[in-house]
């Protein structure tokens, strides 16, 4: 496990993406996020993540060097990551990681930049794990490139549309294995496909769960779009937002969060319909009176 610390200013979107993408895995972990006054909104978005959050006001940055150095040493940080952070990085802070520091360039490239900075260490297999050379792919997919960078076991289907082998559901005899399907929130190991985030059923119900145990709650996406177009716009947009959250939370393993999003989508659909009916009911008398 390689621990990283991120110093962030501004909206912190790239930081949030790195934390939520890697912290459920077993290769890269963000253990500390230091933010200035402009990034305090990030604290609410990361409060449920397994990461230490430290807010240092801009005017007090120079007086917290010892505190930051102590945290970096205690958490065994291997890489410093700067996300729009322009404060001076003192030598004492740099020495804790032997000068290993990168600056994120964009939200889209942030995960790849972190992996690239740690690539040499990530490719070193654990001493007690036997590894095999993977078969050479003629046309590597984005999924296989990520799997190779993070040392996740990934075997693409040799023939398109060939049904996958039935997985062995016996307990994993090697708990230290590098494979962790939570690295990719949409990955279903039983289908060799990436889930798109939306249900393939007409109204979003009945998709089999990541472990085959429970179907996904209804997304109500089609209804959300219909009420947005034909009833009331603002509640309809809110319904669409909750509809899209149903599948993303479900495939991330948050079943209860998926149910709540489904209920909220249903409620906002009803609100949109009621407001649409009331608007039409009130509009007709005015038209008759005005005519």
């Amino acid at each position: 496990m390689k621990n990283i610390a991120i110093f962030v200013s501004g909206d912190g979107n790239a930081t949030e993406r790195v934390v939520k993408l890697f912290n459920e895995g077993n290769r890269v972990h963000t253990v500390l996020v230091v933010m200035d006054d402009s990034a305090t909104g990030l604290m609410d978005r990361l409060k449920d993540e397994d990461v230490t959050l430290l807010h240092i006001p801009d005017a007090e940055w120079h007086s917290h060097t010892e505190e930051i150095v102590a945290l970096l040493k205690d958490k065994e940080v291997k890489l410093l990551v700067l996300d729009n952070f322009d404060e001076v990085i003192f030598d004492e802070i740099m020495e804790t990681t032997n000068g290993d520091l990168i600056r994120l360039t964009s939200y889209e490239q942030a995960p790849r930049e972190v992996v690239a900075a740690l690539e040499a260490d990530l490719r070193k297999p654990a001493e007690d794990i036997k590894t095999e050379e993977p078969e050479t792919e003629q046309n590597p997919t984005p999924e296989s490139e990520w799997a190779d960078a993070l040392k996740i076991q990934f075997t693409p289907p040799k023939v398109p549309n060939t049904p996958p082998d039935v997985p062995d559901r016996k307990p994993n005899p090697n708990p230290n294995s590098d494979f962790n399907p939570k690295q990719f929130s949409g990955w279903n190991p039983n289908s060799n496909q990436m889930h798109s985030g939306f249900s393939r059923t007409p109204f979003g119900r009945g998709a089999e769960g990541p472990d085959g145990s429970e179907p996904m709650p209804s997304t109500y996406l089609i209804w959300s779009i219909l009420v947005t177009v034909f009833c009331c716009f603002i509640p309809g947009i809110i319904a669409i937002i909750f509809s899209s959250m149903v599948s993303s939370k479900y495939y991330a393993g948050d079943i209860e969060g998926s149910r709540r999003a489904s209920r909220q989508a249903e409620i906002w659909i009803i609100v949109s319909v009621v407001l649409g009916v009331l608007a039409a009911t009130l509009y007709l008398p005015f038209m008759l009176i005005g005519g």
Side-chain angles (χ1 to χ4, degrees), residues 4-8 15 18-19 30 32-35 81-83 104:
I4 67 173
I6 305 178
F7 293 2
V8 56
T15 297
V18 169
V19 171
T30 305
L32 175 65
V33 173
V34 180
M35 60 195 75
V81 180
L82 305 184
D83 181 8
L104 302 180

Side-chain angles (χ1 to χ4, degrees), residues 257-269:
S258 178
R259 294 196 195 100
R260 289 196 299 268
S262 178
R263 288 195 295 269
Q264 289 295 326
E266 183 179 9
I267 290 172
W268 283 103
I269 289 170

Side-chain angles (χ1 to χ4, degrees), residues 2-287:
K2 300 300 177 183
N3 295 336
I4 67 173
I6 305 178
F7 293 2
V8 56
S9 295
D11 56 31
N13 290 336
T15 297
E16 182 180 6
R17 188 182 188 198
V18 169
V19 171
K20 293 186 176 180
L21 177 62
F22 291 125
N23 274 25
E24 291 186 356
N26 60 0
R27 301 298 282 168
V28 180
H29 193 89
T30 305
V31 295
L32 175 65
V33 173
V34 180
M35 60 195 75
D36 61 13
D37 293 331
S38 66
T40 53
L42 182 64
M43 186 168 293
D44 288 335
R45 285 150 38 207
L46 295 181
K47 64 181 180 181
D48 295 329
E49 302 294 331
D50 181 22
V51 57
T52 299
L53 304 175
L54 180 62
H55 168 225
I56 298 180
D58 298 343
E60 301 177 13
W61 169 250
H62 299 276
S63 62
H64 287 266
T65 304
E66 293 183 0
E67 178 184 0
I68 295 174
V69 169
L71 283 171
L72 294 174
K73 290 181 177 179
D74 179 63
K75 296 181 178 297
E76 299 180 350
V77 172
K78 302 298 182 184
L79 176 69
L80 292 180
V81 180
L82 305 184
D83 181 8
N84 292 322
F85 195 82
D86 296 324
E87 297 289 347
V88 176
I89 306 298
F90 298 105
D91 292 340
E92 296 91 331
I93 296 176
M94 292 292 297
E95 288 173 358
T96 61
T97 61
N98 296 321
D100 289 339
L101 178 146
I102 63 170
R103 185 179 297 275
L104 302 180
T105 60
S106 67
Y107 171 85
E108 294 77 10
Q109 295 298 322
R112 293 186 181 275
E113 291 168 342
V114 172
V115 170
L118 296 171
E119 185 174 13
D121 289 332
L122 289 175
R123 289 182 179 274
K124 294 179 181 178
E127 296 179 356
D128 58 341
I129 298 177
K130 295 181 180 179
T131 59
E132 295 181 75
E133 290 296 329
E135 295 181 5
T136 302
E137 294 180 44
Q138 297 297 328
N139 297 308
T141 63
E143 294 88 347
S144 65
E145 292 178 354
W146 273 103
D148 181 61
L150 299 178
K151 279 299 176 187
I152 295 175
Q153 298 172 7
F154 170 76
T155 303
K158 296 182 179 179
V159 180
N161 300 323
T162 299
D165 295 331
V166 177
D168 184 4
R169 295 189 179 274
K170 293 181 180 180
N172 185 1
N174 185 1
N176 295 322
S177 171
D178 285 341
F179 177 72
N180 188 338
K182 288 187 177 180
Q183 291 282 1
F184 304 102
S185 61
W187 176 252
N188 184 344
N190 296 330
S191 66
N192 283 335
Q193 296 178 352
M194 291 295 292
H195 290 287
S196 65
F198 295 97
S199 170
R200 297 179 184 274
T201 56
F203 293 97
R205 186 181 296 276
E208 191 174 274
D211 58 357
S213 60
E214 184 177 340
M216 182 176 67
S218 175
T219 63
Y220 297 108
L221 182 60
I222 294 178
W223 289 110
S224 300
I225 296 173
L226 290 176
V227 298
T228 302
V229 175
F230 296 106
C231 294
C232 194
F233 181 77
I234 294 178
I237 290 296
I238 298 175
I240 291 176
I241 293 173
F242 280 111
S243 294
S244 64
M245 291 171 60
V246 174
S247 57
S248 60
K249 287 180 176 292
Y250 179 78
Y251 288 116
D254 186 3
I255 305 300
E256 183 58 33
S258 178
R259 294 196 195 100
R260 289 196 299 268
S262 178
R263 288 195 295 269
Q264 289 295 326
E266 183 179 9
I267 290 172
W268 283 103
I269 289 170
I270 294 173
V271 170
S272 181
V273 171
V274 171
L275 291 178
V277 171
L278 288 176
T281 303
L282 295 175
Y283 180 72
L284 182 59
F286 280 113
M287 288 293 294

